[in-house]
Amino acid sequence: MEIAKPFPILKLPFLVLIDIVKNLKKLEIIELSLATKKCRFIIKSIKIPNPGVDFKLVTSTELSQTANDGRVPCSQQQFNYLTNYLKLRTYDIDGADITVEFERAWAEYVCDLFGNNISSLIFDSNISDLDLASLSNWINKRQSTSKMRLCRLYGDCNDSDSISLFFGARTFSIYHLSIQLKFSSKVTPINFGTLDMDEFVAQDEDIKHIPNWITVESVLTSNCVRIWIELCPFTATDLNQIIKGWINGNNPRLEILHLAIKPFDLDQFVEGIEYEQREFDLLRNSDVMFRREVTIRKGYDIVGHDGTVATFKIENRRWNDGRLWDFILVVWKNGC
């Protein structure tokens, strides 16, 4: 059987080589960069389209599950590359542990190769020995003025203090912040600092224990365009305070606020608020990462201090037998 000869890719004209590299998958480009210093130099000189760098810290359990599914863990591939190039041997081949040092070195290499910053950060808040304040400071230094497209935290949350340290140290910008944590009953709310991202989404649909992950003060002092919280412990008094805060000029960028809440006394909710019942439907289209359309059927209009009109509505979730209500506040930026 005749063995195929290696293809002399580096002897091709540079314009042809550019087209070849641009049509390679991201992992293939990384593999090519680690072949020789010349390959790496060539790739760095080419403007790769959409070279987003996703940085994900995974636990050993997640690695084991990936291996059991018959897939090759991406971090195992990363280890093979980096042991050759960066001489890092801090990753246990059996999948027992991946150090943050290793993951940072990998992220630095890929960001340097593509000439880009980290576009998404995804991590389990329970990774052992993870210094979240140090992680936040590292990203602050390397992100410069680039806005991170996505930051997502997930896992079981038994202590919110370390997560609060991460956001307390954060100065880098985030477009979409997603919190998917399961809170224990004694966990205090996370101190996010100022919620200044475009989108804040918090998800936990375990109605047996409603997570206490954000305070009314965080909403009042936020600078978000869209806030979407699947479950929260806010009361009628809390929502009354939030609406009055918006009327008085809080969160001027707000377009949509959606909260899943337990039923409460409606009279207490609207106390001291001037409103007018709306008799027609309006559809709110939002240019969001996870596209959402909000239809306000009737509802109640309120007017902000600058004359901007917003509509709020409380409706029962039909599929949960009245155990939860949806509170929706939509700000009509275009004067609807």
Side-chain angles (χ1 to χ4, degrees):
M1 181 177 178
E2 184 178 353
I3 300 176
K5 295 181 180 180
F7 184 75
I9 187 172
L10 296 182
K11 292 184 179 181
L12 293 172
F14 190 65
L15 292 178
V16 176
L17 187 56
I18 289 176
D19 287 337
I20 291 176
V21 171
K22 286 185 176 180
N23 282 282
L24 292 176
K25 295 178 180 179
K26 189 181 296 183
L27 192 56
E28 292 173 333
I29 295 175
I30 296 171
E31 288 179 342
L32 180 60
S33 76
L34 291 164
T36 66
K37 290 182 179 180
K38 184 177 181 180
C39 287
R40 183 167 179 263
F41 175 79
I42 291 173
I43 291 171
K44 289 185 65 175
S45 67
I46 298 173
K47 187 173 179 59
I48 308 296
N50 303 318
V53 178
D54 300 324
F55 180 43
K56 182 176 182 180
L57 293 170
V58 297
T59 63
S60 56
T61 302
E62 289 176 298
L63 274 184
S64 299
Q65 291 172 345
T66 303
N68 291 335
D69 289 341
R71 301 191 301 270
V72 178
C74 184
S75 292
Q76 177 67 64
Q77 296 171 331
Q78 296 170 1
F79 170 75
N80 293 335
Y81 301 150
L82 291 184
T83 49
N84 292 328
Y85 184 79
L86 299 175
K87 308 301 180 185
L88 282 178
R89 298 185 179 277
T90 55
Y91 170 67
D92 187 332
I93 300 178
D94 294 329
D97 188 34
I98 304 174
T99 68
V100 176
E101 176 195 0
F102 173 88
E103 295 287 4
R104 283 185 184 179
W106 175 246
E108 290 284 7
Y109 176 81
V110 176
C111 286
D112 178 68
L113 181 67
F114 291 109
N116 198 12
N117 287 315
I118 294 172
S119 58
S120 69
L121 170 65
I122 302 173
F123 64 93
D124 187 326
S125 62
N126 287 322
I127 293 177
S128 60
D129 300 323
L130 177 57
D131 185 346
L132 288 177
S134 176
L135 176 64
S136 187
N137 284 322
W138 169 67
I139 297 174
N140 289 338
K141 293 177 181 178
R142 74 160 341 280
Q143 284 299 105
S144 62
T145 58
S146 176
K147 180 178 285 190
M148 186 177 290
R149 180 181 61 89
L150 168 67
C151 180
R152 179 163 69 90
L153 283 70
Y154 64 96
D156 296 327
C157 182
N158 300 311
D159 179 13
S160 63
D161 290 343
S162 61
I163 299 176
S164 295
L165 288 174
F166 174 84
F167 288 102
R170 177 186 73 92
T171 59
F172 62 92
S173 299
I174 300 172
Y175 178 82
H176 178 98
L177 174 60
S178 175
I179 308 296
Q180 296 175 322
L181 298 170
K182 293 183 178 180
F183 277 60
S184 63
S185 57
K186 297 181 180 180
V187 173
T188 57
I190 298 172
N191 182 4
F192 291 101
T194 301
L195 287 174
D196 57 355
M197 56 287 305
D198 285 27
E199 298 175 7
F200 175 80
V201 176
Q203 296 175 309
D204 185 348
E205 298 183 0
D206 183 7
I207 194 172
K208 295 179 181 178
H209 174 65
I210 295 181
N212 187 26
W213 46 24
I214 189 170
T215 63
V216 174
E217 183 66 21
S218 292
V219 176
L220 288 172
T221 59
S222 69
N223 192 31
C224 291
V225 178
R226 293 164 286 271
I227 301 176
W228 202 282
I229 305 178
E230 285 301 322
L231 283 175
C232 69
F234 290 169
T235 64
T237 301
D238 295 333
L239 291 180
N240 181 279
Q241 188 178 355
I242 289 171
I243 290 178
K244 287 179 179 177
W246 179 83
I247 291 173
N248 292 326
N250 288 31
N251 200 349
R253 293 206 306 154
L254 185 66
E255 292 182 4
I256 295 176
L257 172 63
H258 175 277
L259 307 171
I261 50 179
K262 285 189 173 182
F264 51 70
D265 183 349
L266 290 174
D267 291 335
Q268 186 179 6
F269 162 59
V270 296
E271 183 179 352
I273 297 174
E274 294 185 9
Y275 60 88
E276 181 178 350
Q277 187 168 353
R278 179 181 285 269
E279 297 296 342
F280 54 93
D281 300 348
L282 281 175
L283 178 67
R284 177 64 170 179
N285 293 312
S286 275
D287 183 17
V288 297
M289 183 174 296
F290 302 108
R291 186 172 179 82
R292 304 180 189 276
E293 291 185 345
V294 178
T295 302
I296 300 293
R297 300 190 181 283
K298 297 185 179 181
Y300 301 89
D301 286 350
I302 53 177
V303 181
H305 75 294
D306 60 353
T308 302
V309 177
T311 303
F312 68 83
K313 176 77 180 290
I314 294 178
E315 54 189 10
N316 176 41
R317 288 193 166 188
R318 297 176 183 177
W319 60 88
N320 63 30
D321 300 325
R323 291 180 295 170
L324 287 177
W325 285 350
D326 280 316
F327 169 79
I328 303 171
L329 173 68
V330 177
V331 181
W332 307 106
K333 296 290 186 179
N334 296 325
C336 295

